[in-house]
Every structure is written in structure tokens, then in C-alpha cells.
Amino acid sequence: MSDQNVHNAGFTPSGISAGSLASSMMSHEARASGGGVPSGGPTSTLQGMGARGTTHSSGFTSSGISGNSTASHMMSQEARAHGGGTPRGGTTSTVQSIAMGGKGGR
């Protein structure tokens, strides 16, 4: 179900859907970073997964983050960089929220 949730949010194999949560996230991120969407951020990560349909296989599942997965590695790196926790609105929390059918951490 997590790949479908990502597609439902507007991250699709053909790109970001106009008027979707994905387009809103992209706009917000672009404004915050001076006009571009940063590589490795929530929008670019989700779009890559939406294009390939790899959310679940990356470890972002509807049940949570799978142990010993790409997702758990991302979460660990992000937590170390932020003093022990993953920040709300960060890549890991946003991707996991959307994979579970939420609206991200924004």
C-alpha cells in the first residue's frame, strides 16, 4: 500500500501531479531553498520513489520503517545529524508519513 500512498500524494512515474500534495511540497521546498528543490530532500526522495515504485522495498512501509533497510539507515543518519532524533518535516519523517497515507511532516 505504501507505493500507492506515494502515488496518491502526487509523486508518480510521469512526474509530480499538478495541484497535489507533492506539488505543494515542491513549491514550499523550492521557496525555502531559494528556488530549487534540494537533492536528498523530501520532495526529491519521494519523487524518485514514486517514479520507480520503490517505497516499500526501500523500507518505508505502511507498518513503519523496516529494520536493516535503506529507510532505517536514512533515519539513523538523520538522527545522528540532529542530536538523536529525526526532525519533523525532515526527509525520513516526511517520506514515512506519506508512505503510511499521511500528509507528511509539514
Side-chain angles (χ1 to χ4, degrees):
M1 183 61 167
S2 56
D3 286 332
Q4 187 60 48
N5 291 336
V6 171
H7 291 162
N8 290 345
F11 299 99
T12 72
S14 58
I16 290 178
S17 300
S20 66
L21 173 63
S23 67
S24 176
M25 283 179 60
M26 182 175 69
S27 175
H28 176 79
E29 248 184 279
R31 282 193 307 272
S33 65
V37 176
S39 177
T43 300
S44 65
T45 300
L46 281 159
Q47 182 51 39
M49 291 177 171
R52 293 184 305 276
T54 60
T55 308
H56 187 79
S57 64
S58 297
F60 293 99
T61 75
S62 56
S63 302
I65 291 177
S66 299
N68 200 25
S69 65
T70 299
S72 67
H73 180 70
M74 284 175 63
M75 183 174 66
S76 178
Q77 282 186 311
E78 199 168 9
R80 279 194 301 273
H82 290 90
T86 55
R88 178 179 166 94
T91 302
T92 304
S93 63
T94 300
V95 172
Q96 182 57 34
S97 174
I98 290 174
M100 293 181 75
K103 298 195 182 290
R106 301 204 176 255

